[in-house]
Amino acid sequence: MGKELTIILGPTGVGKTDYSIELAKEYGSPIINCDSRQIYKEMDIGTASPSAQQLEEVRHYFIHTHSVTQYYTAGLYELEAMALLEELFKEHDRLVMVGGSGMYIDALCNGLDDFPPADLKLRDSLMQRLADEGIESLRNELRVLDRASYDTIDIANPQRVVRALEVTLQTGRKFSDWKSAPKKVRPFAIRKIGINRNREELYDRINRRVDIMMEQGLLREVESLVQYKDLPALKTVGYREIFEYMDGKHSLETAIELIKRNSRHYAKKQLTYWGRDKEIEWFHK
């Protein structure tokens, strides 16, 4: 029997964790996490990490395994996940992976293009522009230079916008074009299962999940991370808005509504990102 990796993907809040646990039990497989934020041990509530009970039901990998202070990228994930899969496939014919991070999933499935070494002077100038002009100025430039990236990356994340602009300006080649090279051949079959719901139900689930996060202590969790607020890992929905509340930019009630709104926007971006992947088998719950 050939080896097969089944990847459960879909927008935030759709119910990937529960489905992946059901499938993993059916396969007798552990679960490999492919979420770029759940890997961080300091970020639990705001990333909707699996509960203690869920972690007991099925063995999970790449959950709370790294620190926000560590430099981590999709490229590093590709290397570490491939090494893990090589070991797990010695004992399993079918494995389950789950996540909503499109770039991490692409890195695992296709490999990453060999981007040129970073131009630190260019990056510094873009970061200075970010501080002086704000994110909207950089977004507008990215929209003009590389509309495909503008439409698919998380443009609410300054680091993603800066990186896309940096590569485009440095190489004269659109950031999105770097991701169109022939994919690497993996020594196992890959099946992608996409989960979706009707938009009204999905958005209601997202809104309710944010309320639950607040009840579970998201505010305390973010307060405990204030010393790390400028690190890339913390420039993400659910943390960024509460840091802004702590800085006096708006009320806590407004921060909660912004988390809900930005989570809904992120879900829409995720679906747009995967919309062009014809390998995904979609089904609606």
Side-chain angles (χ1 to χ4, degrees), residues 224-244:
S224 73
L225 296 172
V226 67
Q227 62 181 314
Y228 306 124
K229 62 182 291 186
D230 294 323
L231 295 178
L234 275 301
K235 304 288 187 180
T236 193
V237 176
Y239 295 84
R240 182 177 61 241
E241 297 84 357
I242 293 183
F243 284 136
E244 290 174 352

Side-chain angles (χ1 to χ4, degrees), residues 124-165:
D124 287 345
S125 70
L126 289 172
M127 293 302 292
Q128 189 60 52
R129 281 184 55 195
L130 176 66
D132 295 342
E133 304 170 20
I135 185 63
E136 193 61 33
S137 174
L138 299 184
R139 285 178 189 155
N140 289 336
E141 184 171 355
L142 181 63
R143 183 171 59 229
V144 172
L145 296 177
D146 184 2
R147 185 56 189 258
S149 287
Y150 178 86
D151 287 340
T152 55
I153 69 171
D154 179 10
I155 59 171
N157 186 324
Q159 302 295 326
R160 296 280 173 84
V161 175
V162 167
R163 180 58 175 156
L165 265 180

Side-chain angles (χ1 to χ4, degrees), residues 219-283:
L219 178 58
R220 291 191 300 274
E221 180 172 276
V222 178
E223 288 174 339
S224 73
L225 296 172
V226 67
Q227 62 181 314
Y228 306 124
K229 62 182 291 186
D230 294 323
L231 295 178
L234 275 301
K235 304 288 187 180
T236 193
V237 176
Y239 295 84
R240 182 177 61 241
E241 297 84 357
I242 293 183
F243 284 136
E244 290 174 352
Y245 152 69
M246 295 170 64
D247 289 339
K249 293 184 178 179
H250 44 237
S251 67
L252 182 58
E253 291 74 15
T254 298
I256 294 170
E257 290 306 310
L258 287 173
I259 295 172
K260 293 177 179 179
R261 184 200 70 182
N262 293 338
S263 295
R264 296 192 300 267
H265 287 177
Y266 179 54
K268 186 176 179 181
K269 283 281 187 184
Q270 289 173 301
L271 290 169
T272 299
Y273 185 94
W274 287 313
R276 291 174 289 182
D277 189 341
K278 304 306 179 185
E279 296 179 352
I280 300 174
E281 305 169 34
W282 287 100
F283 75 89

